[in-house]
């Protein structure tokens, strides 16, 4: 126990945070911070550059997406998932448009 306390004390004394002007991270604008807290769903099992979700990812800094297999509000059966390979391609194409990795979630209850 004494050894652990000595190690922790040594780490506290030796590890000093760098001043803000020496940090490599850029300050994150408020607009991006707000966008990162938003998660939404979309229709379709693939996306192209003109898909409506892409501007939200690129310009609004969307934080994540919900994948579902049923569109409850429209009462239409739509799906984001058809196969494992299609899902991987979909997620890769979505992530390619994001400046920060998207949080990908799944709605298992149908909306």
């Amino acid at each position: 126990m004494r050894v652990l306390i000595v190690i922790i004390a040594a780490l506290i004394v030796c590890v000093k945070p760098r001043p803000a002007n020496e940090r490599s991270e850029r300050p994150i604008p408020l607009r991006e911070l707000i966008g990162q807290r938003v998660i939404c769903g979309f229709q379709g099992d693939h996306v192209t550059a003109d898909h409506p979700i892409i501007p939200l990812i690129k310009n609004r800094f969307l934080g994540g997406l919900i994948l579902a297999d049923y569109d409850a509000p429209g009462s239409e059966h739509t799906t984001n998932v058809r196969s494992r390979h299609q899902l991987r391609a979909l997620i890769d194409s979505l992530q390619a448009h994001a400046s920060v990795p998207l949080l990908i979630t799944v709605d298992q209850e149908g909306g």
Side-chain angles (χ1 to χ4, degrees):
M1 185 67 173
R2 279 184 141 166
V3 173
L4 181 60
I5 293 172
V6 170
I7 291 172
I8 292 172
L11 287 173
I12 291 171
V13 171
C14 294
V15 177
K16 296 177 184 173
R18 293 183 293 172
N21 60 352
E22 292 180 14
R23 293 185 186 148
S24 59
E25 305 98 26
R26 66 175 175 83
I28 301 173
L30 181 61
R31 181 178 178 176
E32 288 184 38
L33 288 172
I34 293 169
Q36 283 294 303
R37 282 147 181 82
V38 177
I39 297 176
C40 71
F42 68 100
Q43 293 183 344
D45 60 359
H46 68 283
V47 294
T48 57
D50 61 342
H51 193 283
I53 197 70
I54 300 303
L56 293 176
I57 294 171
K58 285 184 170 183
N59 304 329
R60 302 292 184 199
F61 310 100
L62 193 64
L65 296 165
I66 301 171
L67 303 179
D69 65 352
Y70 182 72
D71 181 21
S75 299
E76 296 178 17
H77 289 280
T78 61
T79 183
N80 296 120
V81 182
R82 299 239 184 251
S83 71
R84 184 171 65 185
H85 300 293
Q86 171 272 328
L87 179 61
R88 177 80 268 166
L90 175 64
I91 292 172
D92 288 345
S93 63
L94 292 165
Q95 295 286 15
H97 294 284
S99 58
V100 175
L102 296 164
L103 175 65
I104 305 296
T105 62
V106 177
D107 179 3
Q108 297 179 344
E109 300 169 357

